[in-house]
Structures are given as C-alpha cells and as structure tokens.
C-alpha cells in the first residue's frame, strides 16, 4: 500500500494493509511540485501554534470554549466513537462464538421435558475475507477520527474568523458613528450660515441629505455587529444574544507561516487523510466481496442434555456431544455476490476520484491563500496611504469651506472620500486576517486547545 509520509497524529491511520490490497494514496494520484508556486521568499518557521501566533488571549479562550461546547465537534466525536464500535463489530467475526440454551416443554399431561446445552461455532478465515472486513472497519474508524480532527480545526478557524469579523464590524460601526457626528456638526454650521444669509437653502438640504445617508449607513453597520456577534456565539455553543463584546483593534500580522512541502501538507490535511482511509477501506471491502465467492469452512461443536426433570437437564454425566465441520460454496444466488463485488469495486473507483478531487482542492486552497496574503498586504499598504491623504484633504476642505472658498458639495465629497478610504482600509485589514486564518486551515496548521492538547497529540 502506497502512503504519504504523515504526521504523528495521522501515523496510525493507514498502516497495516495486506499485500493483496494495493490502495493508492494522494501522492500516487496527484503529482505535486517540491514547493508551492506562490511561496514568498521570507516566512516564519518558528510558529507551531497558529492560534497563539495571533497573540490574542481572548481568541485562545474562545477557541478552547468552542472545542468543548460546539455541537459540530461533539457530533464528529460521537461519529468517531460509533465508527470505533463498528470496527470492533467487524473484527469480532474472526473469533468463535459461544451460545447457551435452555428450555422447557409441556406438550400433554405427563409429557414434560427440560433441556440445556452449549454451542460453539467458528468460521475459519481461509481466504482472509473476515480479515479484510476487519481492516475495512478499522480504516473507516480511522477516517472518522480524521473527520473529528478536521471538525476541531474547522471550528477553531471559524471562531477566529468570527471573532475578527466582529472586531472589524465594530470598527466599521465606530467609523459610521464618527461620520454621523461629523455630518451633524456640518449641518449645524450650514444652518448657522444660512441664518446669516451666507449660503442658500439648497446647502442646508444637501447637508441634511448627507446626514440622513450617514445615519442609514450607521444602522446597517450596527446590524452587522449584532450579526457577527451572534455568529460567534453560535460557534461557541452559546445562545445568540449578540452580547459578546469585541476587542478594540484587529491583530498585526507577522510573516507568512511556512506551509512546508505540498506533499507534507496533503499528509496533514484531515480531509485528505480521511479520503485515503476511506479509499483503503473500500479496497478491503472489494477484496472481501471477491472472496465471498470462494468456498467457506465452518466448525460447530455442541453439548446438550435433557430429561423429565430439571436435574436431568443439568446432569453433565449424560451430556450429548456433537462436533461438526462443513464446507459451503456458493453456486447460485441470483448474481447477488457478484453484484456486491462489482458494487464494491465501483465504490472504490468513486472514492479514488474523490481523493484526487480532495487533494487538488487542498492544494488550490493553499496556493490561493499564499498568493492572497501578498496581494492583501499590498492592498493594505495602498489603502493606508489613501486614508491618510483623504484625511488631510478633508481637513483642508473644511478650512476652505469655513473661509467661503469651497462649496458644500466639495465638503461633503471630501468627507465621503475620507470615510470610504478608512472603511476600505478596515475591510482590507480584516480580509488579510481572514485570509491568514484560511491559510492555517488550508495547510492544517497545528494549534493548542484547552488543557494543553495539541492537534498532533489528540487521543494518542
């Protein structure tokens, strides 16, 4: 069985395949380069905990809370537990079974009887069919385990995104509030100048219109804050009351984390690992379906006794012993066994195609996030300049308007440009933080959960 080199967390997942079943891994089906195409020249290779890398204690507390309370994570853990139980069921078929029986018969008056017995049976795994089924069950459990970790990683990223979306929405609302206050002051100035006959009534109406538009924007931004708070609270498993308070500012990002080699990244991705495990499980299921066409050997042994009295049924001196062996071979079952074999083969082909799709999607997500980080950094830098210049331009126009050298339209336009530039800067900073989280999610970055548990040592 050809496998990727995998991290310690996933190391036990895909081991133990038999020589008769060869299941390709992602590296066999997808040819990846030595390095990512969009990789920058400078990267941070020191960070091993992406949540801690944001240097935000509130975020770390929120992630720990979500991992303990989020229902999606709980459902994934329950699914893993169920898959483990299913694996034990599959493995139990290789062991002998022992049943006890007892009975009482009363057919006619005076014709009663008691019986007791033990029966042991065992199906010999001559061709390895039962072993294949057991391996398939174990690999299915391994896939569920990877799904569980994937759910934890996804929720951690979702909490981080929601937290910083709340901060960004709060900053936008604060900016809109400042705009309303500025427009209110402008209206007061225009109204005083109108009373003195310096400006026309159209200037007053224009200022009122600008204030009303700003108030509408403020209402929309405040609604966005409430929605962001509720989204975060749901991720935390709380009631969505929109009562969680944001921090004051978005984090300052450092250098891009080193994503490693594409092949190693695929080996960390829980969705890729789960897809590989399911493909391997399907391979064993197909092998077991093929071996169901072969003859099977069963052994049965029984001990029994009976009599008119209960004491006779429990008299071990008169036990009847039976030992029997049988060989059965399927001859005609309406094509059921061959159809099951063909179905298992087709399912394996389907899962192989899904593995390719999952791996390619993983590589695209990583490349997109790496490329976007550089572009968003450039955008933030440009918008910082734009916001600074718009702020200076507004100050100049305000002085000119007070001196009668500018019109109300020029003042409103300068105010609008300044607010727009600051709003775009907040959005760009938030987008870059969101993209950095997307990168950590794409490369399956390690993080430390509550209680000192990391992604690489969960359940080891």
């Amino acid at each position: 069985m050809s496998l990727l080199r995998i991290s310690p967390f996933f190391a036990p997942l895909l081991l133990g395949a038999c020589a008769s079943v060869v299941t390709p891994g992602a590296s066999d089906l997808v040819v990846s380069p030595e390095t990512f195409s969009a990789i920058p020249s400078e990267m941070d290779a020191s960070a091993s905990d992406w949540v801690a890398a944001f240097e935000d204690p509130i975020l770390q507390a929120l992630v720990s809370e979500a991992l303990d309370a989020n229902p999606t994570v709980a459902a994934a853990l329950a699914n893993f537990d169920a898959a483990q139980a299913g694996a034990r069921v599959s493995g139990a078929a290789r062991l002998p079974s022992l049943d006890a029986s007892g009975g009482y018969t009363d057919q006619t008056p005076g014709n009663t009887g008691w019986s007791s017995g033990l029966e042991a049976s065992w199906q010999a795994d001559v061709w390895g069919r039962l072993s294949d089924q057991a391996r398939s069950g174990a690999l299915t459990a391994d896939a569920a385990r990877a799904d569980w970790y994937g759910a934890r990683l996804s929720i951690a990223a979702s909490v981080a995104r929601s937290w910083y979306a709340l901060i960004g929405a709060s900053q936008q609302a604060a900016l809109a509030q400042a705009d309303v206050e500025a427009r209110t002051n402008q209206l007061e100035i225009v109204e005083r100048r109108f009373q003195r006959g310096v400006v026309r009534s159209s200037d007053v109406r224009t200022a009122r219109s600008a204030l009303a538009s700003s108030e509408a924007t403020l209402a929309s931004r405040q609604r966005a804050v409430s929605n962001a708070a509720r989204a975060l609270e749901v991720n935390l498993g709380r009631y969505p009351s929109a009562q969680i308070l944001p921090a004051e500012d978005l984090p300052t990002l450092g250098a891009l984390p080193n994503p490693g080699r594409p092949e190693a990244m695929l080996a960390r991705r829980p969705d890729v690992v789960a897809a590989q495990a399911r493909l391997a499980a399907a391979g064993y299921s197909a092998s077991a379906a093929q071996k169901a066409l072969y003859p099977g050997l069963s052994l049965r042994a029984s001990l029994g006794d009976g009599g008119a009295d209960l004491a006779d049924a429990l008299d071990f001196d008169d036990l009847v012993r039976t030992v029997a062996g049988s060989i059965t071979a399927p001859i005609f079952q309406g094509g059921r066994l061959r159809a099951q074999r063909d179905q298992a083969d087709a399912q394996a082909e389907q899962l192989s195609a899904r593995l390719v799709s999952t791996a390619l999607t993983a590589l695209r997500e990583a490349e997109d996030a790496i490329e976007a980080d550089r572009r968003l950094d450039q955008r933030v830098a440009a918008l910082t300049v734009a916001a600074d210049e718009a702020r200076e331009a507004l100050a100049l126009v305000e002085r000119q308007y007070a001196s009668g050298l500018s019109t109300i339209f020029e003042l409103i336009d300068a105010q609008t440009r300044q607010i727009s530039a600051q709003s775009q800067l907040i959005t760009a900073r938030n987008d870059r933080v969101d993209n950095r989280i997307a990168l950590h999610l794409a490369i399956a970055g390690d993080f430390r959960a509550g209680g000192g548990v990391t992604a690489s040592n969960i359940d080891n």
Side-chain angles (χ1 to χ4, degrees):
M1 186 177 190
S2 177
L3 301 177
L4 294 168
R5 291 187 295 275
I6 56 181
S7 66
F9 177 77
F10 296 120
L13 296 189
L14 300 176
L15 303 179
C18 69
S20 62
V21 179
V22 178
T23 306
S27 59
D28 300 308
L29 300 174
V30 178
V31 178
S32 58
E34 287 295 317
T35 60
F36 288 98
S37 300
I39 205 73
S41 57
E42 295 183 2
M43 293 177 294
D44 181 10
S46 61
S48 59
D49 184 339
W50 69 263
V51 174
F54 286 102
E55 298 182 351
D56 187 343
I58 298 178
L59 174 62
Q60 296 181 55
L62 292 175
V63 169
S64 295
E65 179 182 347
L67 293 178
D68 290 335
N70 185 272
T72 301
V73 175
L77 177 57
N79 183 64
F80 173 42
D81 292 338
Q84 284 186 308
R88 293 196 298 270
V89 171
S90 299
R94 295 178 294 179
L95 302 175
S97 62
L98 179 64
D99 298 308
S101 62
Y104 171 73
T105 304
D106 186 0
Q107 295 179 340
T108 60
N111 186 12
T112 61
W114 295 83
S115 64
S116 65
L118 292 173
E119 181 174 284
S121 61
W122 177 61
Q123 184 176 5
D125 194 14
V126 178
W127 311 106
R129 180 178 64 86
L130 299 179
S131 296
D132 286 348
Q133 291 177 339
R135 291 188 180 100
S136 178
L139 285 165
T140 299
D142 292 339
R145 184 171 184 263
D147 288 338
W148 173 44
Y149 173 64
R152 292 172 61 87
L153 176 61
S154 178
I155 288 300
S158 182
V159 167
R161 283 174 155 172
S162 297
W163 171 238
Y164 291 126
L166 174 60
I167 295 174
S170 177
Q171 289 183 320
Q172 294 283 12
L175 178 63
Q177 180 65 51
D179 185 39
V180 168
E181 293 172 358
R183 302 287 191 190
T184 301
N185 292 333
Q186 289 172 3
L187 176 60
E188 292 175 353
I189 293 173
V190 172
E191 287 177 336
R192 286 196 300 269
R193 299 189 70 187
F194 172 70
Q195 292 171 357
R196 296 196 304 268
V198 177
V199 299
R200 296 170 298 180
S201 62
S202 60
D203 287 10
V204 177
R205 294 186 179 276
T206 300
R208 288 175 180 172
S209 176
L211 173 59
S213 296
S214 296
E215 289 173 338
T217 299
L218 174 60
S220 177
R221 297 288 168 79
Q222 289 173 334
R223 175 173 174 265
V225 172
S226 297
N227 290 345
R230 291 189 180 97
L232 175 58
E233 287 166 338
V234 168
N235 280 330
L236 299 174
R238 301 184 189 178
Y239 181 83
S241 59
Q243 297 301 310
I244 190 167
L245 299 177
E248 293 183 358
D249 197 10
L250 294 166
T252 301
L253 299 181
L256 196 75
N258 190 340
R261 297 173 58 244
E263 183 179 351
M265 185 275 289
L266 290 177
R268 292 193 305 269
R269 283 273 299 219
D271 53 346
V272 175
V273 173
Q276 288 185 144
R278 289 190 173 94
L279 177 56
Y284 283 114
S285 294
S287 176
Q290 173 64 36
K291 293 171 182 177
L293 297 169
Y294 305 158
L297 173 62
S298 298
L299 300 176
R300 183 176 63 85
S302 63
L303 299 173
D305 200 358
D309 299 325
L310 180 59
D312 295 333
L314 299 177
D315 186 357
F316 297 107
D317 293 334
D318 298 327
L319 288 175
V320 178
R321 302 170 179 84
T322 302
V323 178
S326 63
I327 297 177
T328 59
I331 296 178
F332 177 74
Q333 296 189 15
R336 178 178 61 86
L337 295 179
R338 286 183 171 80
Q340 289 176 340
R341 177 200 60 191
D342 295 342
Q343 182 184 44
D345 288 340
Q347 288 174 342
E349 289 292 335
Q350 179 190 48
L351 291 171
S352 178
R354 286 183 180 177
L355 174 57
V356 173
S357 177
T358 301
L360 289 175
T361 299
L363 292 169
R364 177 187 60 79
E365 289 174 349
E367 289 281 7
D368 284 349
I370 294 170
E371 169 71 16
D373 187 85
R374 180 172 71 254
R375 301 303 181 190
L376 287 170
D377 186 30
Q378 295 171 348
R379 178 174 171 78
V380 168
L383 286 172
T384 300
V385 175
D388 291 341
E389 294 297 330
R391 184 167 48 253
E392 294 298 327
L394 174 62
L396 176 61
V397 172
E398 286 176 335
R399 291 194 297 270
Q400 292 175 342
Y401 182 77
S403 303
L405 300 177
S406 295
T407 66
I408 185 63
F409 298 101
E410 291 174 321
L411 177 61
I412 291 175
D413 181 66
Q415 175 71 12
T416 300
R417 289 178 180 275
Q418 188 262 343
I419 291 296
S420 176
Q422 287 190 335
S423 177
Q424 290 184 62
L425 177 58
I426 294 172
T427 299
R429 291 186 62 207
N430 200 351
D431 286 346
R432 188 166 183 238
V433 172
D434 188 83
N435 181 75
R436 181 62 64 88
I437 297 168
L439 174 60
H440 290 301
L441 182 61
I443 65 176
D446 200 6
F447 68 97
R448 185 171 297 277
V453 180
T454 65
S456 61
N457 65 22
I458 293 174
D459 201 36
N460 281 348

